[in-house]
Every structure is written in C-alpha cells, then in structure tokens.
Amino acid sequence: MSGSTSARYGPLLSVVVACRDEVEVLPEFHATLLADLRRVDGCWEIVYADDGSRDGTLDTLRAFAADDSRVVCLPLDRRGKDAAMAAGLARTAGECVVFVDADLQHPTSLLVPMFEQYVRGFEQVVARRRPVHSGRVDRRFGSRVFHLLVRIFCDVELTEGTGDFRLVSRPVADAALARPRQHGFMQGLFSSLPSRSICLDYDWRPRAAGRSAWGTVALVRYGVRALIACRSESPQPLLTPGVAVPALGEAVIMTRSVSASAAPAVRRPELRSPSTTAGVRSTSGR
C-alpha cells in the first residue's frame, strides 16, 4: 500500500468473481452484491472473470459492465476457476480484494464485517463455513484427505471449512501475483503467505440455481493439479487463519448469521499503510 492516502486514486475495495455458466443466478447475485457494496461507501469495483462460459454468462456480464463503470467484464478462455481468480486479481486496483463465488453460497452480507477487520489491521480475512452434517459423506471424507495431503506434501495448513471466500490486503495480493506457478491453487497460495489473519464464520447454503460443475472426477483432477501447484514454490512461514494475533489481542471472530439489513454501513477510513511482514512485499510507490 502507498505510504500516503493521496497517492492512490483507485477504489478502496475490489471484488473478484470467477464465473462459468452461471447465467441463471447472475442477475440475483449481482443485485445482492450491489446492495451489500453500498454499505461500504461508493469506492469499490467488481471484476467478473468469465472462465470460458458456454451459456449466456458473458453477455450478462457485459451488460452489467455497460450499466456501471465500476463493473469490469474480463472474458477468458477456459482455464479453470483458480486461473480465472488470478486473472481477475491482476486486473484489480483496490487497496484490498475480496473473492466471492457467483452461486450465492457465499453470503455477500459478510463484506462489511470482513472490511471492518481489514480496517482494524488484518491482512487476510477468511470466511469459514460452520460445520454441517448434511451433504455426501464421500465429499467430506475426500476433503479431509486432501487437507492432509496438502499438509504433508506442501507444508501448508488449510483450515477446515475455508476456501476461496476471503479478503486480502494489497500487499498480500501482490505477493500472490508474484508467484504465478502457484496460481493453479489460490487457496493454498494465500494460506502459505505470512499475514495477520482472522476467520469469520458463516452458515452454509445450497446453490441458488444451476448445477455444480464439480463432479467426483473433476474434484480428483483438481486435487492433483492443486498439489502440483502448491509444491511448485518453497513454502513461506505460515500464520494460520484463526491464530491469535498478539498485536491486536484477538483470535477467531465468531459471527452469527449476518444479514445485509443488519450489517452497519462502513465509511471509507483514512487509509494507512499496514505493517508488512516477511515474505510479503510492500507496494510503496504504486
């Protein structure tokens, strides 16, 4: 981050949404996202990265961008969700960046609480699903096995219930962009970067519309590619989301179900440079 608030004229908050064949749910998602972003003042942008959609998703995203100059449509060839996230991240200009899925399983009402924790000095704010006992047993078992393999072979700790839904500061975002060989597994990349991190809990919800593209075979292939990407760089020292931060005297924030109507409005603060940690490069002079 720049050393002075007057050095940057871009948005305060960037939202990256990687999309593929989400035309059924996009209008509802976009309207919900806009409503929640209005509570973070008007200094924001949305970057939609279309991962080679074959339905009307790209046309819908272009219409969003035509209606609002703060919305960016980034058409891509089919690369995979993580590569689309990385491409969207490279296009952002915000002081902090939030990644969110378009299927409404990630409650955008958490944007205000996440941003509040960033203002307080946290460099990563990671959304964590509360434990649920519904769903397929094989999927839950497969997730535990994958987390174990990442811990053993990549020396990276993945907190149970977390995924791509997170906020990262600009220095953390820049550090991730500087490691392109790991862009095939963004969750592992962000988890390997040293940062002051905290978790916000939320309740799982089903997809609002459409069908998930993640079948069993696709998940296994993704797991293999993720392990390869995770091992492509030497791991960095890790601060696991949820670990106490001595400087701020806090550990994990437990939130109840957060609704957009209950979330207070957050006005743009006077920005300051967050402390940089080893392994995360400063963006001074940007």
Side-chain angles (χ1 to χ4, degrees), residues 182-236:
Q182 290 185 277
H183 288 175
F185 185 34
M186 297 297 285
Q187 180 188 359
L189 172 54
F190 284 126
S191 297
S192 71
L193 295 174
S195 60
R196 292 182 176 181
S197 303
I198 196 166
C199 285
L200 290 180
D201 286 359
Y202 70 96
D203 292 319
W204 179 88
R205 59 177 71 178
R207 288 179 60 90
R211 298 178 59 184
S212 173
W214 295 102
T216 301
V217 174
L219 286 172
V220 171
R221 289 175 178 171
Y222 174 76
V224 172
R225 290 195 302 266
L227 288 171
I228 294 173
C230 198
R231 285 184 58 86
S232 64
E233 298 265 1
S234 298
Q236 297 287 334

Side-chain angles (χ1 to χ4, degrees), residues 8 10-17 30 33-34 37 40-48 68-72 88-98 100 111 170:
R8 291 183 62 90
L12 176 63
L13 173 66
S14 298
V15 180
V16 174
V17 188
H30 188 64
L33 177 59
L34 290 178
L37 281 174
V40 194
D41 209 349
C43 194
W44 47 262
E45 68 174 352
I46 305 171
V47 178
Y48 284 105
D68 193 329
S69 61
R70 296 169 296 183
V71 178
V72 175
L89 177 62
R91 178 61 178 77
T92 61
E95 298 284 352
C96 58
V97 182
V98 174
V100 60
L111 291 179
R170 175 52 56 182

Side-chain angles (χ1 to χ4, degrees), residues 45-144:
E45 68 174 352
I46 305 171
V47 178
Y48 284 105
D50 180 68
D51 185 31
S53 293
R54 293 172 293 183
D55 59 1
T57 293
L58 185 56
D59 291 336
T60 301
L61 297 180
R62 285 172 171 157
F64 293 161
D67 288 340
D68 193 329
S69 61
R70 296 169 296 183
V71 178
V72 175
C73 173
L74 186 63
L76 304 168
D77 296 329
R78 175 65 173 149
R79 303 181 184 179
K81 179 186 176 183
D82 290 82
M85 288 172 57
L89 177 62
R91 178 61 178 77
T92 61
E95 298 284 352
C96 58
V97 182
V98 174
F99 297 91
V100 60
D101 287 351
D103 56 14
L104 290 173
Q105 290 187 295
H106 294 164
T108 54
S109 55
L110 273 183
L111 291 179
V112 168
M114 293 171 93
F115 181 73
E116 287 175 336
Q117 298 309 313
Y118 164 73
V119 172
R120 296 183 64 218
F122 286 99
E123 296 162 310
Q124 288 201 62
V125 185
V126 186
R128 180 176 60 185
R129 297 183 306 275
R130 289 191 179 90
V132 293
H133 299 290
S134 59
R136 292 170 48 175
V137 175
D138 59 334
R139 291 286 181 88
R140 298 201 302 270
F141 175 75
S143 175
R144 293 192 181 98

Side-chain angles (χ1 to χ4, degrees), residues 223-258:
V224 172
R225 290 195 302 266
L227 288 171
I228 294 173
C230 198
R231 285 184 58 86
S232 64
E233 298 265 1
S234 298
Q236 297 287 334
L238 177 66
L239 285 181
T240 304
V243 173
V245 182
L248 297 177
E250 294 208 8
V252 179
I253 289 185
M254 303 294 290
T255 64
R256 297 186 181 276
S257 297
V258 181

